[in-house]
Amino acid sequence: MSFILSTDRSCDIFCGDLDRRNIKYISQVYTIDEVPHTDNFDKDEDYKGFYDLIRAGKMPTTSQINIAEHEEFFEKVLSENEGDLLHITLSSGLSATYQSALTAAENVNAKFGQKRVYVLDSLAATSVQRLVVDEAERLRNEGLSAAEALEKMQYFTHHVQVRFMPTDLMHLKRGGRVSGPSAYIGTALRIKPILCIDKEGGLTIVTKKIGVGAGVSCMVEFFKRNSTPSTKKAYIPTADNWEVAEELKAKILEFRPDCEVIIGWVGPVIGAHTGVGMVGVTFFSDLERDI
């Protein structure tokens, strides 16, 4: 018997696409100038408008989905659909959303008896999480149970590779994520940190490069080293930096013309922290994350 599939909006799939794919979702909230906004983005203009606000000097903040919100969502989905539910969350290394969902699932499972909620820590965010959702959808469509899919997906998440490059160090400074001196010196020297989502789902700086071009080359080399015959698709997440994203895509396709490469938006949940300009690459590999 197959299962119901759901995710939070950190996956950055257009809401309309989630509806068409019969994937349920719970939205996160971001705040600008003390006004809360729901991430229900469904077109390019929604994402573009968000980054235009950051360019104008706005500093968005985000909040996790709490236990009560998860419980309400899980109960509604179970009541309106047949089967168990597999829910995919933003990485536990980036947010307490996973733990909140896990606690809510335990509470809901106690109420519903035979119907159950299973929660998967994506160890990912944005297009990295999107790749995880894609695979879970494939397993659902193949007719696996939620429990069977959860087991397979726990292997899958540890084999999703990712590197990304934030370009706006001053935004990171405003958000308190780098010190003032580091931001000023890094900006003056055109230093671009290359980060990964590590085995625990947290952020780790892998290296630093001088200039965007060197950062792109670093990510291309990472793809060359870690892509395998199982790498059929790669996502390039971007925080409204399409020129560099297209350059990265072209270089990956030069090496692997058989690989489907898709550029996708970084939404407000992650974009609030990276600022404008971030670009990355993510893909499934036979190799496990090495950091």
Side-chain angles (χ1 to χ4, degrees):
M1 179 180 179
S2 194
F3 56 89
I4 314 159
L5 177 60
S6 69
T7 182
D8 56 48
R9 287 280 297 126
S10 301
C11 65
D12 292 332
I13 301 171
F14 286 175
C15 291
D17 289 340
L18 288 169
D19 290 336
R20 282 187 287 274
R21 293 164 62 178
N22 194 25
I23 300 172
K24 313 303 178 185
Y25 61 88
I26 181 169
S27 294
Q28 281 116 317
V29 172
Y30 64 97
T31 300
I32 296 179
D33 292 338
E34 300 184 358
V35 178
H37 303 268
T38 301
D39 174 11
N40 55 3
F41 291 4
D42 198 32
K43 55 185 182 300
D44 291 339
E45 291 77 9
D46 294 334
Y47 294 88
K48 177 69 173 174
F50 172 78
Y51 286 110
D52 284 345
L53 288 173
I54 294 180
R55 287 187 176 97
K58 301 298 182 183
M59 192 70 204
T61 59
T62 60
S63 57
Q64 71 179 60
I65 305 168
N66 63 38
I67 296 172
E69 290 167 332
H70 274 119
E71 283 190 28
E72 181 181 1
F73 172 72
F74 292 156
E75 290 184 9
K76 185 176 188 295
V77 171
L78 287 180
S79 297
E80 295 177 352
N81 299 272
E82 293 297 323
D84 292 334
L85 171 63
L86 176 60
H87 180 71
I88 299 172
T89 74
L90 174 64
S91 174
S92 62
L94 302 177
S95 166
T97 296
Y98 167 71
Q99 189 57 52
S100 172
L102 203 61
T103 301
E106 292 172 356
N107 296 341
V108 171
N109 288 343
K111 293 180 185 179
F112 273 75
Q114 290 187 329
K115 276 189 174 185
R116 296 193 64 79
V117 179
Y118 296 85
V119 180
L120 173 69
D121 180 357
S122 71
L123 299 177
T126 192
S127 292
V128 195
Q129 186 173 338
R130 181 178 177 182
L131 198 65
V132 174
V133 172
D134 289 350
E135 177 65 9
E137 179 189 21
R138 186 185 71 81
L139 298 178
R140 180 199 66 184
N141 294 346
E142 285 188 353
L144 274 68
S145 70
E148 291 169 333
L150 178 65
E151 182 177 356
K152 288 183 176 294
M153 290 304 302
Q154 287 169 336
Y155 170 88
F156 185 89
T157 56
H158 285 89
H159 288 75
V160 173
Q161 304 283 346
V162 58
R163 291 290 187 273
F164 68 94
M165 175 180 65
T167 61
D168 187 355
L169 297 184
M170 300 310 294
H171 179 87
L172 298 179
K173 179 191 80 70
R174 290 194 299 272
R177 296 170 190 93
V178 301
S179 68
S182 294
Y184 288 114
I185 294 170
T187 299
L189 296 178
R190 300 186 300 115
I191 293 174
K192 306 302 176 187
I194 307 297
L195 291 86
C196 74
I197 301 179
D198 59 33
K199 292 179 179 181
E200 285 73 43
L203 297 181
T204 297
I205 296 177
V206 178
T207 186
K208 296 177 182 178
K209 297 296 178 180
I210 304 297
V212 170
V216 168
S217 296
C218 179
M219 290 187 286
V220 172
E221 289 305 312
F222 171 74
F223 180 85
K224 289 180 178 180
R225 290 194 311 271
N226 291 280
S227 62
T228 63
S230 296
T231 306
K232 305 298 184 184
K233 175 168 60 179
Y235 281 120
I236 296 177
T238 181
D240 204 17
N241 193 350
W242 292 84
E243 182 178 353
V244 172
E246 290 286 0
E247 178 186 353
L248 178 56
K249 175 180 178 178
K251 290 185 176 182
I252 288 173
L253 286 173
E254 284 179 12
F255 175 69
R256 283 286 305 272
D258 60 313
C259 184
E260 181 183 14
V261 183
I262 302 166
I263 301 174
W265 286 99
V266 174
V269 174
I270 302 303
H273 303 283
T274 66
V276 180
M278 188 272 271
V279 174
V281 63
T282 181
F283 52 94
F284 175 78
S285 171
D286 295 319
L287 304 175
E288 189 172 351
R289 290 180 187 177
D290 60 355
I291 296 176

